[in-house]
Amino acid sequence: MNTLVDFFSKLFDTSDWPPRWYCGNWTDFHGWLYLFSDLTIWAAYMAIPLVLIRFIIVKKGVPLIRVFWLFGAFILLCGFTHLLDATMFYWPAYRFNAVIRFLTGVVSIATVIALIRYFDEAVGLRTSQEYNMELRIRQQVEQELRRSNEELQQFAYVASHDLQSPLKTIENYLKLFEAKYGEGLDENGHRIIDTTTAAAGRMRGLINDLLDFSRVGNSIEFETFQLDELVSEICDELQNDIAQTEATIDVPALPQLTAHRIDMKRLFQNLITNALKYHKPGVAPEVKLSFRDEAGLYLFSISDNGIGIEKTYFDRIFLIFQRLHGRGEYPGTGIGLATCKKIVEIYGGKIWVESTVGEGSTFYFTLPKMINPLRYYAQENQLHSVG
């Protein structure tokens, strides 16, 4: 202990040693060559950490940042030892020199340990060539995706036209048949015509819902709009259902969105329509919308006082063509919630339901505040703000 105290009390004392010029037989050439070499190495070692610091500041999100700082400290201390070696020709502070060399050794060992620790992670970092390869592959995938979407849209149009035309023909001929021969038909005949007409109507609705489902995610034409206005527009379109069921819809102040307006309209319209549709007999529907601003996303909820859903079916209801009730009880095609799920997930959000049978349901879904169109549709690599 006394040795350490004595050592550090004389840390900058130079009286125990002569300057290096007087140790040995230095010629002027040899001495100045040594000095110049040490000072040159020190200058280079000083420049390297400065370049690293500038790189870290300019290049945001540098991986393995701790290794960069350790390596910079290691280089800086190595340079400092060369500077001290040069000053020893005039200022023989050997104790201070020893402390700096000890610190250099500690930082050197720490750098080696860090390099070993992060070796696997460093090997996993992609090179610029690998990034370029990934970019080329992504561009090829995006081109293929655009081609597939174009083919899907063409198929949807053809399917719509080719399927809807026969339905129109069937409906028109049924109307003509009933108009011309209706008086001669008995009750069973009228029932057959009514059943067939209703089936054709359901098929038309199914085709339209399938087309809507297939079109989700086929456009990145984002626009900024007030969600309050969008919900108000939906409520205006649902005035018939609202009046018939004597429903009340509570809509709070909602945020401004920058997104695909048609997708948002489908999402909210399907959920509000379901809240009105699945109400308890003789009980006026009470629908409540709410939203909460959370870190990085918006959390929306749409609740009702309807018939509720058994917990067993919480996941199943989001699958396409899944219905929990017969058409005689509640009309529909079983595509609405599947469309909602597809829209929310394309935007990078989540959707789920909480419900109690006989008390009502609450549908929750999240939308990120920053939407990457590559998630929405692989075409552009830039960020759009949702709010």
Side-chain angles (χ1 to χ4, degrees), residues 29 31 53 81 133 171 279 383:
F29 175 78
I53 291 171
T81 60
M133 176 64 74
E171 289 176 332
H279 67 276
L383 289 177

Side-chain angles (χ1 to χ4, degrees), residues 115-374:
L115 288 173
I116 294 172
R117 179 181 176 185
Y118 293 109
F119 179 80
D120 291 337
E121 187 176 345
V123 169
L125 295 176
R126 287 170 289 182
T127 63
S128 59
Q129 290 85 357
E130 289 172 327
Y131 272 113
N132 289 333
M133 176 64 74
E134 181 184 346
L135 180 60
R136 286 196 295 271
I137 293 173
R138 178 175 290 189
Q139 288 171 342
Q140 292 173 0
V141 171
E142 290 172 0
Q143 291 175 358
E144 181 63 23
L145 180 60
R146 284 195 292 271
R147 186 188 63 79
S148 298
N149 279 332
E150 289 171 0
E151 289 180 353
L152 179 61
Q153 289 176 348
Q154 292 172 359
F155 171 79
Y157 173 79
V158 172
S160 171
H161 181 269
D162 290 353
L163 290 175
Q164 298 254 24
S165 293
L167 284 177
K168 290 178 183 177
T169 302
I170 292 171
E171 289 176 332
N172 289 335
Y173 271 101
L174 284 172
K175 289 177 183 177
L176 288 173
F177 184 84
E178 188 174 25
K180 189 171 183 179
Y181 303 106
E183 294 180 358
L185 294 176
D186 59 12
E187 184 178 344
N188 286 333
H190 284 289
R191 188 172 63 252
I192 291 172
I193 291 177
D194 292 341
T195 303
T196 307
T197 303
R202 287 196 301 271
M203 179 61 75
R204 185 189 299 280
L206 178 60
I207 292 170
N208 289 332
D209 287 348
L210 278 172
L211 286 173
D212 287 342
F213 184 80
S214 68
R215 286 169 183 153
V216 172
N218 288 337
S219 173
I220 55 167
E221 296 174 357
F222 290 173
E223 59 181 287
T224 301
F225 55 91
Q226 287 295 139
L227 189 54
D228 310 71
E229 297 176 2
L230 181 71
V231 173
S232 177
E233 178 183 315
I234 292 170
C235 291
D236 288 342
E237 293 175 5
L238 295 175
Q239 272 306 313
N240 235 5
D241 295 332
I242 293 172
Q244 286 181 2
T245 58
E246 299 180 351
T248 57
I249 301 180
D250 182 13
V251 183
L254 297 174
Q256 176 178 277
L257 302 183
T258 300
H260 193 236
R261 195 176 191 277
I262 295 177
D263 282 349
M264 290 298 104
K265 185 173 182 180
R266 286 182 185 136
L267 174 61
F268 280 89
Q269 189 166 35
N270 281 334
L271 293 174
I272 293 172
T273 300
N274 280 355
L276 295 174
K277 183 195 301 182
Y278 297 103
H279 67 276
K280 290 179 284 189
V283 178
E286 295 177 5
V287 183
K288 182 178 181 181
L289 280 70
S290 67
F291 104 98
R292 192 163 68 238
D293 189 339
E294 298 190 346
L297 55 83
Y298 291 127
L299 171 63
F300 295 92
S301 69
I302 299 179
S303 60
D304 61 60
N305 62 336
I307 60 175
I309 304 166
E310 291 185 19
K311 191 174 183 179
T312 311
Y313 303 116
F314 280 5
D315 293 328
R316 176 183 164 186
I317 59 174
F318 292 105
L319 301 177
I320 193 168
F321 297 132
Q322 295 299 313
R323 292 176 51 85
L324 305 184
H325 307 278
R327 292 190 183 91
E329 294 179 274
Y330 300 98
T333 58
I335 300 177
L337 288 178
T339 301
C340 293
K341 185 173 187 288
K342 184 178 179 181
I343 292 170
V344 170
E345 290 183 349
I346 281 177
Y347 275 87
K350 295 180 180 179
I351 185 170
W352 68 96
V353 64
E354 293 179 3
S355 181
T356 302
V357 175
E359 295 183 12
S361 305
T362 300
F363 284 85
Y364 297 92
F365 61 94
T366 60
L367 292 174
K369 293 180 180 178
M370 301 297 291
I371 293 178
N372 187 346
L374 279 176

Side-chain angles (χ1 to χ4, degrees), residues 12-32:
F12 299 103
D13 185 9
T14 61
S15 61
D16 293 337
W17 298 277
R20 185 172 285 178
W21 273 117
Y22 303 108
C23 297
N25 297 317
W26 292 92
T27 63
D28 287 345
F29 175 78
H30 188 186
W32 284 108

Side-chain angles (χ1 to χ4, degrees), residues 53-94:
I53 291 171
R54 175 169 172 76
F55 176 76
I56 291 171
I57 293 173
V58 173
K59 186 73 173 176
K60 304 296 184 183
V62 175
L64 306 178
I65 191 70
R66 293 180 181 177
V67 176
F68 269 87
W69 284 113
L70 271 175
F71 189 69
F74 163 68
I75 295 295
L76 189 65
L77 286 169
C78 285
F80 198 35
T81 60
H82 283 277
L83 176 63
L84 287 176
D85 264 357
T87 62
M88 298 291 281
F89 277 82
Y90 301 96
W91 183 56
Y94 281 93

